[in-house]
Structures are given as C-alpha cells and as structure tokens.
Amino acid sequence: MALVALSCTKDLEELNVNKKDFAVTTDASLFTSAQYKLFNQMTETSVNENIFRLIVQNWTETTYTDEANYDLKTRNIDEFHWETLYRDVLKNFKESKSLVSGLPDVQTNKIATIELYEIYTYYVLVTSFGDIPYTEALDIDILNPVFDNQETVFNDLLDRLDTNVISKFITDEVGFSASEDIVYNGDIEKWLKFANSLKLQMGMLIADSDPAKAETVVSAAVAAGVFTSADDDMKIAFETAAPYTNPVYAALVLSGRDDYVPTNTIVDMMTTLNDPRRDDYFTLYNGVYKGGISGELNSFSQYSHVSDKIGKDPTLEAPLMTYFEVEFLLAEAIERGFITGTAETNYNNAIAASIKYWGGTDAEVDTYLGQGSVAYSSAAGNYKQKIGTQKWLALYNRGFESWTEWRRLDFPVLTAPADAETNNDQPPYRFTYPTVELSLNGANLNAASTSIGGDELETKLFFDKL
C-alpha cells in the first residue's frame, strides 16, 4: 500500500494526453490540408480510390480488370470518392472558415477563397452522383441528412459563386499567405480569374439542359475575366518524397506494380491524327505506340506504357483547371451563340496551349492544325464532335474533367467493354451511391434514387440531356 501511495500522482490524467498532437489547430492548417486532399483525390489513380482514367478509356488494366469494366462496388470506389470529398475536404474547409470568421480582423478574401473551394467540391459531387446531401450536410446534429435535388444544388452553387465569391474578392487586400495558399500563393487576382473560369465551366455544363441560363452565366463570366494564359492554371506541384508525391507516381512507381497500360482507343486515334503529344503520353513498344484493349486482360510487357513524364516524376503538377480548357469552352460558347467571336480561333488556341503544355513546339502545333482531319474547317462532324474529340485528347490524365466533358458533349464515341457493368454499351453516366449510405441513411438515399431516375450507372444526370 505504501508503494502504491508513493507511486500515485495528482497529475496522472496527463498520461492520457497525447503531447505529440497539436493542442490547437489553425484556419490555415485546415485550409492547406483540405486543398491537398482535394487535389490528391482528383489526381489519384489507385483502383481503390479513383478510376476516372479507366472510365474514359485513357488507361486500362493488366492483371485485374474489374475496375476497367466499371465495377465500383467490390472496392467501394464510390464510397471512397464520396467520403474523401465530404469528410477530408468539405469538413476541413468548413472548420477553417469557422476559425477565420472568429478572427479579429476582416478576412474577406480568406472566406471567399474557402467558399470557392467548397463550391468546386460540391460541383464535383453533384456531377458525380446527382442528388446529394447539401443543406443538411456536415451538421453533427443531423445524422441522416436529406439529399437535395441535383439541379437545385447546382443552381445554388452558381448563386454562391456570384454572391459569396466573385463579388467579395478584394484584389488589393491579402488573403491566405503564400505558404498557406499552395495554388496561387496569395494572389487574389488569380483566384478571381479562377472563380470566373469555374463560372464559365458551370455555365457550359447546362448548355443543353438550360440554354437560356447558360448564356447568361457564360456571358457574365467571360465579361468579368477568365483565364488568358497558362500562367493562370489552377494547379499544385507535389513533392519528391512520399507521402506527398504525385499520386500517379505512387501508383506507378512506389507501388512496384504494373497495373496499367494506355488503351488502343486513345493510342490509335492519336496515331491516326499524327498527334505530337504521343511521346508525352506514352512510351513506344517495339518502335510503335500500342494500346491495350479496354476491360480485357492485357500483358504489361506487350504494350506501350504511361510515359516517364507522367509516371516517373514525383513532383508532376496536378491541375484542376487549365487555360486550354477555357479556350475550348470559349470556342463552344461561340458556336452556341452565347458570346461573339470566331470558334476556330479559340479551338486553335486550345490545341496549341495543350501541345505546349506538354513541351511541344510552334512547328508541331502548325503541323498538327494543318491537317485536314484536325483543322476546324474540315475535321469530321459538327462542333460538338470537333471540340469534344480534341478536348478528350487534351484532357488525357485528367480523368474526372474528361469524363464530365464526354458526358456533356457525347464525343468521342466510346464503347463499353464486353464485360462492363453497364447495360447500354456506354461508360457510366454517374457514380452509384455508396453502400454505407443505404445502411445508415436508407430512407433519404432511396428518395434520392427515385428522384434521379434510379441509382444506376446508366442514369443520366440533370445536365446530360442530349
């Protein structure tokens, strides 16, 4: 008893405190963490986390083929996408904004920047799933949030973009510091350009479903000022050491696995078009570019591989939006009569910017655009086919954006693999809802499923009308 008495201390409770944890978190640390998580998820290529490159047939698999055949459930891919964006991204942004709001000085630019990120993240969720938790999301007191109508969510995001972001940014005042803002290093003018460019992108998303509103949104965005060069790209650079390398490097190099080869879908098209980006996208196999068959077993040793530029650089930047995407959007907006201009000019600007993004030369641009199969005046099809095909080629390694544009423009024509999970010979039009939501929030999920027309891969979302 004496020994026990002597060994006791009134500070015994301190043993339950992990002194390695931060006692207090900051708005900046939460903000930076959320940024990184967002970019990482949108860039990821692990079959457990992000299979957009497989969906749009940029890559296909070798040993295991479930994911290239659009199986989202075996590895809970839909659940990972959902939980990462809600838990690791939106929740951290929400908490960061709460801390910023409590600071003594006015933090208008900080709040507007966080709000912009939140809008983008919800934009990804609503265009991935359809109806989603929104008005009741992230509330710890609401365990079973309702799923808001997808179109209502989208329209509210547009309203927030105008009211809480574009009209709030003050370009001659500071926001997050250069070390906290891993995209634009605190440059508010760049953030404002991105906000207008996102508005342009969102306006064009509804060009078929609500052309009148699309025209209003697009014309206002362009008038306010969108990206004008590659210097405006919304992107981050990764680091040389794990776990902060580009996730493509982690999947293709650090994993020690040989899981992916480019598809013959994209390789053959680029070969037919004499595309100068082939050596930037792929390696040679026996002196030629050879792609695997989407959804089939493909021996890694018998096909071209992902280029060293993409696969073997741990610091390779990851963009969420680029200048060449904006130029493609402008070309399409002109064709639709939303703004004035010459579509061919913006189309050429977009292709030139993409080729130069990968290190191409002016001579390569001129040669490529000089071909009848590429030139805007003579390339096959209507403007959707011309722009959609070239945009799909330019968005290689940008799976989510490529998927969204393919769903919206319907080009190029992609055929689902023979063993695909879809029933309409097409890649998925949406992600199915996570199984865990059915278990924990079944009534609201079932209502959402009915609202969108069925919780199926084949269900088209609100913007995908034609």
Side-chain angles (χ1 to χ4, degrees):
M1 292 293 291
L3 288 173
V4 171
L6 289 171
S7 65
C8 289
T9 171
K10 64 181 180 179
D11 297 321
L12 189 62
E13 63 272 12
E14 291 185 7
L15 297 176
N16 292 321
V17 177
N18 184 356
K19 294 185 178 181
K20 293 183 179 181
D21 280 347
F22 291 106
V24 178
T25 191
T26 65
D27 62 286
S29 63
L30 288 167
F31 173 73
T32 304
S33 174
Q35 287 183 99
Y36 176 78
K37 290 288 188 180
L38 174 61
F39 276 93
N40 201 74
Q41 171 58 17
M42 301 307 291
T43 309
E44 185 59 73
T45 194
S46 164
V47 292
N48 298 302
E49 300 171 24
N50 178 336
I51 63 166
F52 293 121
R53 293 175 183 84
L54 303 179
I55 288 176
V56 295
Q57 299 180 11
N58 285 173
W59 299 355
T60 191
E61 293 175 286
T62 54
T63 307
Y64 306 101
T65 62
D66 289 347
E67 295 73 34
N69 284 295
Y70 317 137
D71 178 359
L72 303 181
K73 294 301 184 185
T74 299
R75 296 180 185 272
N76 296 321
I77 298 162
D78 46 13
E79 181 178 328
F80 189 93
H81 187 57
W82 177 279
E83 289 191 352
T84 298
L85 295 181
Y86 272 114
R87 179 194 61 210
D88 300 334
V89 178
L90 286 169
K91 185 62 176 175
N92 278 346
F93 279 135
K94 179 182 179 180
E95 295 303 321
S96 177
K97 187 161 61 175
S98 176
L99 291 173
V100 168
S101 300
L103 294 175
D105 298 323
V106 176
Q107 303 288 335
T108 304
N109 284 336
K110 281 188 175 184
I111 292 174
T113 305
I114 297 171
E115 183 89 8
L116 178 53
Y117 265 124
E118 290 177 330
I119 290 165
Y120 176 84
T121 307
Y122 273 118
Y123 164 76
V124 172
L125 281 164
V126 77
T127 53
S128 295
F129 294 96
D131 289 11
I132 55 170
Y134 180 66
T135 55
E136 294 183 356
L138 308 176
D139 188 334
I140 195 171
D141 295 320
I142 301 177
L143 300 181
N144 301 109
V146 298
F147 286 56
D148 294 277
N149 173 269
Q150 55 184 328
E151 197 163 5
T152 302
V153 172
F154 182 83
N155 287 332
D156 189 65
L157 294 176
L158 280 174
D159 289 342
R160 286 173 62 181
L161 191 55
D162 278 335
T163 305
N164 298 348
V165 178
I166 294 172
S167 66
K168 295 295 186 181
F169 273 131
I170 305 172
T171 56
D172 59 352
E173 292 188 7
V174 298
F176 285 101
S177 70
S179 62
E180 297 162 350
D181 172 5
I182 59 177
V183 176
Y184 290 130
N185 305 121
D187 188 333
I188 301 302
E189 289 187 357
K190 295 285 190 184
W191 279 112
L192 184 56
K193 272 192 174 183
F194 170 61
N196 284 314
S197 299
L198 178 60
K199 183 176 177 178
L200 167 64
Q201 184 180 64
M202 293 175 69
M204 293 305 298
L205 185 84
I206 56 173
D208 286 333
S209 60
D210 192 347
K213 181 164 187 172
E215 180 176 2
T216 299
V217 172
V218 167
S219 59
V222 174
V226 296
F227 288 176
T228 54
S229 76
D231 291 338
D232 298 326
D233 289 356
M234 205 280 197
K235 64 189 179 184
I236 66 167
F238 288 92
E239 299 181 13
T240 56
Y244 301 110
T245 66
N246 187 301
V248 175
Y249 176 82
L252 272 57
V253 177
L254 296 183
S255 70
R257 300 175 60 90
D258 298 327
D259 288 326
Y260 306 107
V261 294
T263 66
N264 60 356
T265 310
I266 190 167
V267 170
D268 292 352
M269 181 184 292
M270 294 182 77
T271 297
T272 299
L273 295 174
N274 298 306
D275 197 308
R277 292 165 291 192
R278 281 178 296 169
D279 62 343
D280 302 306
Y281 290 3
F282 325 117
T283 64
L284 288 167
Y285 171 75
N286 287 343
V288 299
Y289 296 104
K290 182 182 179 183
I293 301 172
S294 186
E296 302 289 331
L297 287 169
N298 297 279
S299 172
F300 185 78
S301 63
Q302 295 179 7
Y303 296 95
S304 295
H305 301 153
V306 176
S307 71
D308 290 351
K309 183 177 290 188
I310 293 172
K312 294 188 177 180
D313 181 1
T315 66
L316 182 69
E317 66 187 34
L320 294 187
M321 182 179 289
T322 58
Y323 163 63
F324 68 75
E325 292 170 71
V326 168
E327 287 288 352
F328 276 123
L329 291 169
L330 294 174
E332 183 188 346
I334 292 167
E335 285 284 12
R336 292 179 181 269
F338 294 169
I339 58 174
T340 60
T342 305
E344 182 177 10
T345 299
N346 296 99
Y347 171 88
N348 290 346
N349 289 344
I351 293 173
S354 173
I355 291 173
K356 291 181 180 180
Y357 177 89
W358 292 103
T361 65
D362 287 332
E364 287 178 327
V365 170
D366 292 342
T367 299
Y368 186 63
L369 288 172
Q371 299 178 107
S373 55
V374 177
Y376 198 72
S377 60
S378 54
N382 60 17
Y383 75 87
K384 281 191 173 184
Q385 181 172 348
K386 296 176 186 186
I387 294 172
T389 299
Q390 288 298 327
K391 196 168 191 178
W392 179 74
L393 293 173
L395 285 171
Y396 177 76
N397 197 39
R398 299 277 307 287
F400 177 79
E401 293 82 2
S402 182
W403 181 48
T404 302
E405 293 304 285
W406 170 80
R407 289 179 290 167
R408 194 175 65 79
L409 294 170
D410 300 312
F411 286 99
V413 175
L414 300 178
T415 303
D419 296 329
E421 294 287 330
T422 52
N423 298 319
N424 61 347
D425 296 326
Q426 297 284 301
Y429 296 135
R430 61 178 291 273
F431 267 20
T432 47
Y433 291 123
T435 303
V436 67
E437 285 293 314
L438 182 61
S439 302
L440 300 178
N441 195 15
N444 287 321
L445 185 146
N446 286 330
S449 177
T450 299
S451 169
I452 66 173
D455 185 18
E456 307 293 341
L457 296 173
E458 300 86 359
T459 301
K460 288 192 172 186
L461 300 183
F462 71 100
F463 62 88
D464 193 2
K465 294 297 185 183
L466 301 178

